[in-house]
Structure formats: structure tokens, C-alpha cells
Amino acid sequence: MQNYIELNNKILIPQLGFGVFRMTQGDQTYDAVRAALDAGYRHIDTATAYDNEKSVGRAIKDSGIDRKEIFVTTKCKNPDTRARIATKAFETSLENLGLDYLDLYLIHWPTDHFEQAWLEMEDLYLNTDKVRAIGVSNFYAHHLNALDDKVLPAVNQIESNPYYLGQEYIDESLKRHIDVEIYSPLGGSKPEFNVLKDTTLANLAEKYGKSPAQIVIRWHLQRGLIVLPKSTHKERIEANFDVFDFTLTGEDMALIESLDLNRRSGHHPDEIDF
Ligand code: A2P
């Protein structure tokens, strides 16, 4: 059974979503999103920079699922933020996705002129019916403080996993009543990180009769965070959604937290060259 979280503007978001970073436009993205929707996910997180919006949109359409049941997010890419063309970028994303509204539109990174992008997104949110919520990604306190305050971001999407908690950054958002979405929740795609091979997680997996990935996803859910695992494999996509029939004890939650190595798999928000 899926859980929903109420965002600060009162709209509901499925707490477990499906991420499509690094999936190529065409069959790979299309098949993964179809598999995710078949498995029960109702929340798809893409970005213009991933270059797969068209395939995401086609998969949503072909699924036959009522549009209103699926929560769709995309993000304004850095060059468009820098060029101060967030509104145009938003319209292009809608067109690529084949949708007439988005559930959530994010600024992908706090790159140059993100303040201007936010003003344009406030305008889209307040004065059109084309977007149900707006938010940010990879924002730390100093970026959040620089935003115009007509609209509070609904979410901030940042990295966290057992080897990189980033708890202070999560708390910076939560204390402002901004919900936090987690990317690279399983440790990201760099093989050298190997979060899912951790022996503590393997022991917990055995204890609960689940896989290490299911343990980690459940841990994020019990932290109260919105979690966006991704996979290109149907069986993993399905298994990653099968996390609503068990509960980690407080002790085991703390044990997973203790694995933190402060080892980020992605980039620091202030070091952006893309
Ligand atoms: P793959 O597409 O080969 O399944 P994330 O970025 O969400 O933290 O995930 C990191 C990687 O973990 C993904 O690219 C995915 O690669 C892999 N993965 C996802 N689910 C599982 C799983 N259940 N078991 C093992 N690996 C997984």
C-alpha cells in the first residue's frame, strides 16, 4: 500500500517515487516507466537534463492510467536557469512529456540566476493552472534564503543514503516546512560505493527477509522522506516497491544511520560546471 505525504501547499505526493536519471531516451526509459507504473508506482521523477522526457510521457500515456493518479516531476536544467528562460523551459518540458500540466517543477541546481528562475516559477504557479507545486533541488540554507518568498518551495530534492546521510541539509529544509526528496537513495550508480553490498545491510536483509535495497528504501520512508530509487531492471523495480509490509525497529534505523561515511556520490551544490 502506497503512502502519501501532504506538501506545504496541501497537495498529496506519493512518498515512494521512481527516478529515471541516466536512463536513455527510447526503450530503456519507456520500459522502465511502464514497469514502474505496472508495479504500482504513481510518482515519476525526471528532468530536462536527463534527456528522456519524451519517453517518460509516452510511457505514462500508453499505461492508460488516469493522468490525475500519476504525480509527474521534471526540472529546469542549468543552461536554461543561467539563460533566464525558465518559463520557456517549462513549456518545452510540458510539450516533451505530452502533458498539459505538471505536478511539480524544480530548479535542478542553484546555478547562476536561480533567483530569476524562481520568480518565473512563482508566476507559473500563482497565475496559471499548469503546475501544482514548485520546488528546488540541491539547495542548501544560503540558496533557500536567497529565494523570493511569495511561495515556499514545496520540496527540496537532495542526496542521501546510508554512506552519505547529509542530515544537516535535510534538517535545513524540514525546519522551513519544505519536504525533502531523496535522490541516489541506494548509493547512486558509482560501483565503487557499493552501499548495497554493505554487510550490516546484508544482516538486516536476512533478519527481515528482505533485500538490502528494500531495507534502505524502508529506512528512508521511516525517516519521513520522499524517496526516488531507480532501476532499469523489472524485477528490481518491482522489489523496490514491495516495502510496505514490514517496519524497521528504532534500533535498526539507528544502526543504518551509523553507517554514514559522509561520502557523497554526487556533486556539492556550489560546485556546478554542467
Ligand atoms: P540498475 O538499473 O542496474 O538496477 P539509486 O541511484 O536509486 O541510489 O540506485 C543506484 C543503482 O542501484 C541503480 O542505478 C540501480 O541500477 C541499482 N539498483 C536499484 N535497485 C536495486 C536493487 N533492488 N538491487 C540492486 N541494485 C539495485
Side-chain angles (χ1 to χ4, degrees):
M1 238 319 256
Q2 174 69 277
N3 277 351
Y4 286 80
I5 283 189
E6 188 182 90
L7 299 176
N8 61 27
N9 69 348
K10 306 283 179 222
I11 74 165
L12 295 179
I13 186 170
Q15 193 183 359
L16 176 54
F18 184 67
V20 296
F21 177 44
R22 290 190 202 283
M23 291 187 202
T24 49
Q25 184 99 270
D27 289 349
Q28 189 180 56
T29 300
Y30 179 85
D31 293 346
V33 174
R34 285 299 300 271
L37 293 170
D38 284 347
Y41 295 79
R42 289 294 179 269
H43 173 178
I44 310 293
D45 180 276
T46 184
T48 307
Y50 304 166
D51 198 22
N52 57 21
E53 288 174 326
K54 286 186 181 164
S55 306
V56 168
R58 200 160 52 82
I60 289 172
K61 184 158 175 274
D62 291 354
S63 75
I65 298 167
D66 187 352
R67 164 71 186 93
K68 286 196 213 69
E69 280 186 35
I70 306 176
F71 194 101
V72 185
T73 302
T74 192
K75 314 182 188 83
C76 185
K77 70 180 196 289
N78 299 346
D80 293 342
T81 299
R82 288 195 195 100
R84 307 183 214 200
I85 54 167
T87 307
K88 185 160 166 273
F90 172 87
E91 295 291 350
T92 304
S93 284
L94 273 188
E95 208 177 298
N96 284 339
L97 286 157
L99 300 176
D100 51 17
Y101 73 91
L102 274 177
D103 294 280
L104 180 62
Y105 193 52
L106 306 181
I107 300 178
H108 207 142
W109 286 90
T111 189
D112 288 345
H113 306 306
F114 71 82
E115 301 89 342
Q116 169 67 27
W118 186 249
L119 290 172
E120 292 188 39
M121 285 163 58
E122 285 183 324
D123 188 44
L124 283 166
Y125 174 71
L126 294 171
N127 300 318
T128 77
D129 53 8
K130 291 181 183 172
V131 61
R132 298 176 67 225
I134 54 174
V136 295
S137 185
N138 300 295
F139 273 47
Y140 288 170
H142 58 291
H143 309 116
L144 293 169
N145 291 341
L147 291 174
D148 180 73
D149 61 2
K150 275 198 295 300
V151 180
L152 183 64
V155 307
N156 186 9
Q157 185 177 130
I158 52 184
E159 176 181 355
S160 180
N161 59 62
Y163 286 175
Y164 180 73
L165 274 192
Q167 193 62 45
E168 64 189 284
Y169 305 120
I170 292 172
D171 291 341
E172 282 171 2
S173 284
L174 294 181
K175 78 171 192 215
R176 291 169 164 81
H177 306 289
I178 298 169
D179 271 296
V180 173
E181 298 189 325
I182 300 302
Y183 72 79
S184 297
L186 304 174
S189 309
K190 287 185 187 150
E192 68 272 23
F193 278 70
N194 265 337
V195 171
L196 297 178
K197 298 250 162 56
D198 185 275
T199 46
T200 301
L201 293 175
N203 292 338
L204 288 171
E206 201 178 322
K207 172 175 168 182
Y208 287 91
K210 289 283 176 180
S211 70
Q214 289 170 322
I215 296 291
V216 174
I217 292 167
R218 183 71 211 177
W219 169 69
H220 286 296
L221 293 174
Q222 288 184 216
R223 294 165 85 199
L225 305 170
I226 298 158
V227 54
L228 303 166
K230 59 181 184 288
S231 178
T232 47
H233 296 92
K234 191 170 188 296
E235 47 318 329
R236 290 178 177 172
I237 293 169
E238 288 168 357
N240 291 351
F241 197 74
D242 181 18
V243 290
F244 296 102
D245 61 350
F246 72 109
T247 304
L248 297 166
T249 64
E251 211 171 70
D252 290 337
M253 290 289 293
L255 182 60
I256 299 172
E257 227 164 86
S258 75
L259 301 176
D260 187 22
L261 299 171
N262 197 24
R263 206 161 69 179
R264 191 193 289 274
S265 84
H267 299 271
H268 188 287
D270 286 325
E271 293 160 13
I272 313 155
D273 58 359
F274 51 90

